[in-house]
Amino acid sequence: QVQLVQSGAEVKKPGASVKVSCRASGYSFNVYYIQWVRQAPGQGLEWMGRIFPKSGATLYAQKFQGRVTMTRDTSISTAYMELTSLTSDDTAVYYCARENWYFDVWGRGTLVTVSS
Amino acid sequence: EIVLTQSPGTLSLSPGERATLSCRASQSISNNYLAWYQQRPGQAPRVLIYGASSRATGIPDRFSGSGSGTDFTLTISRLEPEDFAVYYCQQYGGSLFTFGPGTKVDIK
C-alpha cells in the first residue's frame, strides 16, 4: 500500500541542524510532490515547503527561506528535509506528506526536540 | 498569502449530534482548492474532504463539505465517538499552501 516512512526522533542542541528522511513506497515516487509540515506541541499545522522528486524543484515557505533545504534521492524513493540554526521554537513533530494539491498520504511524523 | 480563519475554536457536542465547522478565507480560493483534515491525538492528520466537497477514499458519508469562494463548511451529520478530534482546513493557491488554526470538537 501507499505509505511514507519517516526517520526516528531526534534531539538537537540550539544552533545545530537536523535532517529528517521520508521514504515512499507503493507508488511512483517521481510524479508526486512531497510536502513538509510541522506541528509544535499543542499547536496547529504549519506548511514548510515542498519538493518535486522528478526534477528536484523546491518551493519553501517564506518563514523558512534560508534555513531549510529539501532534497531527494530517487534511487531509494526518499525525500529529505534539513533545517539549520535550530532554536527551541523548532521543537515540533515534522511530517512529510504526498501532495495531490491536497495532502493525501502522510507519514507518522518525526519528533525533533531542541534543548540545551 | 491567503489566511484561513476557522470557527468556532472549540465545539462541544454529544455523540449523535450534528457538527458544523466553518472555514473562511481572506480572499477567494480559486478552483475550490480547499481541503479538510481530521487529526486525532497522537496521530498524523488525514484528509477527509478535497475540492471543497469531494470525500476522500474511505471517508464515511456522515462527513460532507460545501462552500465556494471565501466561505466553506464541514458538516458531520451524526457524531461518532471517533469523530472527537481537531479539524483543519487547508488551501492551495499561487503555489502557496496554508492551514487554518483548527477547530477542536470535544465531548460535551
Side-chain angles (χ1 to χ4, degrees):
Chain A
Q1 75 277 25
V2 176
Q3 59 178 349
L4 299 173
V5 178
Q6 297 186 226
S7 49
E10 304 260 13
V11 179
K12 296 293 182 180
K13 293 194 182 302
S17 300
V18 68
K19 191 171 186 177
V20 179
S21 68
C22 172
R23 178 171 53 85
S25 62
Y27 74 97
S28 179
F29 176 67
N30 281 353
V31 300
Y32 288 88
Y33 286 94
I34 292 289
Q35 295 272 5
W36 290 90
V37 175
R38 77 177 186 179
Q39 186 171 38
Q43 302 301 308
L45 303 170
E46 183 174 31
W47 178 68
M48 299 182 69
R50 71 177 188 183
I51 183 168
F52 189 54
K54 185 173 183 179
S55 64
T58 55
L59 174 68
Y60 303 139
Q62 188 169 10
K63 175 178 179 176
F64 299 101
Q65 292 269 5
R67 214 161 61 91
V68 70
T69 303
M70 296 177 187
T71 57
R72 90 293 188 214
D73 184 340
T74 56
S75 69
I76 55 172
S77 299
T78 300
Y80 303 91
M81 187 283 300
E82 183 174 25
L83 191 63
T84 61
S85 303
L86 294 170
T87 72
S88 58
D89 290 342
D90 295 313
T91 293
V93 175
Y94 290 77
Y95 294 102
C96 63
R98 188 180 78 166
E99 183 219 316
N100 199 7
W101 81 253
Y102 57 97
F103 303 173
D104 65 348
V105 179
W106 293 69
R108 289 193 172 187
T110 297
L111 175 62
V112 175
T113 302
V114 183
S115 174
S116 56
Chain B
E1 177 184 322
I2 296 178
V3 176
L4 299 178
T5 303
Q6 292 187 241
S7 60
T10 301
L11 195 53
S12 297
L13 296 168
S14 301
E17 289 193 295
R18 182 185 187 90
T20 303
L21 288 65
S22 173
C23 176
R24 179 162 292 177
S26 60
Q27 51 187 287
S28 184
I29 296 175
S30 59
N31 299 309
N32 277 349
Y33 281 152
L34 191 287
W36 290 92
Y37 300 84
Q38 176 194 67
Q39 188 177 34
R40 295 170 177 149
Q43 295 187 16
R46 69 163 178 163
V47 63
L48 301 174
I49 301 289
Y50 64 93
S53 60
S54 297
R55 260 189 310 276
T57 303
I59 301 303
D61 61 7
R62 64 180 181 273
F63 291 93
S64 63
S66 63
S68 63
T70 60
D71 289 295
F72 299 86
T73 300
L74 174 70
T75 302
I76 311 170
S77 59
R78 294 175 313 280
L79 284 164
E80 297 287 341
E82 62 269 27
D83 299 338
F84 292 93
V86 180
Y87 293 83
Y88 296 94
C89 56
Q90 171 252 320
Q91 69 83 32
Y92 165 52
S95 299
L96 296 179
F97 298 79
T98 52
F99 289 91
T103 290
K104 182 178 182 180
V105 179
D106 65 14
I107 299 177
K108 189 174 182 181

